[in-house]
Amino acid sequence: MMKHKVWQRLKRQAYFFSIKSYIFLFVATIASISALYAQVISLPKAILKTIPSTLIDPDNTFTLGLEVPLPKRWSVQQEIGWGHNSFNVYSYEREQYPNRQTWRVRSQIRYYFNDMSSPNGSFFAALEYFHKNVMTDQLQAVGRDCNSWGGCAYFEEVAVRTRRLVSAGHFKLGYVLITQKKMTIEIYAGLGVRGLRVKNNVDATSLNLL
């Protein structure tokens, strides 16, 4: 009888041990699957970006960008920025050009060499078009009825708006990483060609004295 009770007790212990083992394996499996899924970063439908470096540019702007991933590792990105010299970080710029504002636009197409959602990030190549319009309003002494030799009939102080227009094409190589907190870290470098035009609202027969 004693041996039978000991045997029954051992069977119950073995049974409970098996149950605990199964529960442990089940929990461990679920935890492993959860950890695996936590490493996979889902690719967002759109990525909103800010470009802090444009705030410390002499032609300062607050710039936002939106990148939209496309199939087969392609994406398109559009940036737009606006700034006024009243919040320029350089005191000389604020004092010299208090009524200057800047618009900048950048359109870009990218190809990623790996999936953007990869935990290790991805390198990319990009082509873009860039345009910047810097508008400066100043009171200036302007000569009227000027001849080809530089002589003017008279001078007057008028409000002159000068536009500095920059157009450019760039090729870039870069690296982007999407973190677990759905933040994007991006670095790049590239080469490009730029063109500059300067014009104002003064007619051709006048002479600006800057």
Side-chain angles (χ1 to χ4, degrees):
M1 179 67 69
M2 182 65 66
K3 290 183 178 180
H4 178 73
K5 290 183 178 180
V6 171
W7 175 249
Q8 291 293 331
R9 189 182 305 113
L10 290 175
K11 286 180 64 176
R12 285 197 299 270
Q13 290 177 353
Y15 173 76
F16 287 121
F17 178 79
S18 299
I19 294 296
K20 291 179 181 179
S21 298
Y22 287 132
I23 293 174
F24 175 79
L25 290 174
F26 176 76
V27 172
T29 302
I30 295 297
S32 299
I33 294 175
S34 299
L36 178 62
Y37 276 105
Q39 294 176 5
V40 178
I41 305 170
S42 59
L43 186 64
K45 294 182 179 180
I47 303 172
L48 181 64
K49 300 181 178 181
T50 60
I51 300 88
S53 60
T54 60
L55 290 171
I56 60 174
D57 192 288
D59 299 327
N60 60 297
T61 60
F62 174 73
T63 306
L64 292 176
L66 185 68
E67 182 178 3
V68 179
L70 301 175
K72 298 182 179 180
R73 299 179 183 173
W74 289 92
S75 77
V76 292
Q77 179 170 304
Q78 183 63 51
E79 298 175 13
I80 185 168
W82 176 84
H84 194 274
N85 251 24
S86 58
F87 57 88
N88 196 306
V89 297
Y90 305 105
S91 59
Y92 171 80
E93 296 288 340
R94 293 196 304 270
E95 295 168 2
Q96 188 74 11
Y97 307 105
N99 297 311
R100 186 176 70 188
Q101 58 179 317
T102 302
W103 286 93
R104 70 174 74 220
V105 177
R106 190 189 308 268
S107 302
Q108 187 180 100
I109 183 168
R110 293 185 175 188
Y111 176 76
Y112 288 90
F113 297 104
N114 299 310
D115 290 333
M116 289 179 62
S117 57
S118 169
N120 297 322
S122 175
F123 289 93
F124 67 86
L127 290 174
E128 69 177 28
Y129 170 75
F130 173 79
H131 180 77
K132 181 169 66 173
N133 184 1
V134 182
M135 296 178 291
T136 305
D137 294 318
Q138 286 181 306
L139 288 175
Q140 299 183 26
V142 176
R144 297 300 189 183
D145 298 330
C146 302
N147 56 40
S148 58
W149 298 95
C152 300
Y154 63 98
F155 294 85
E156 66 175 335
E157 191 175 56
V158 298
V160 177
R161 167 166 288 187
T162 304
R163 295 177 181 267
R164 180 158 49 91
L165 306 172
V166 178
S167 296
H170 299 144
F171 171 75
K172 291 181 175 179
L173 292 174
Y175 173 81
V176 63
L177 175 65
I178 302 177
T179 68
Q180 292 287 348
K181 295 182 179 180
K182 295 184 178 181
M183 294 184 61
T184 301
I185 301 173
E186 181 176 310
I187 57 175
Y188 57 81
L191 300 172
V193 178
R194 292 193 172 194
L196 173 64
R197 291 184 298 133
V198 179
K199 59 182 183 179
N200 55 43
N201 59 341
V202 180
D203 60 83
T205 61
S206 300
L207 178 65
N208 283 348
L209 299 180
L210 302 179

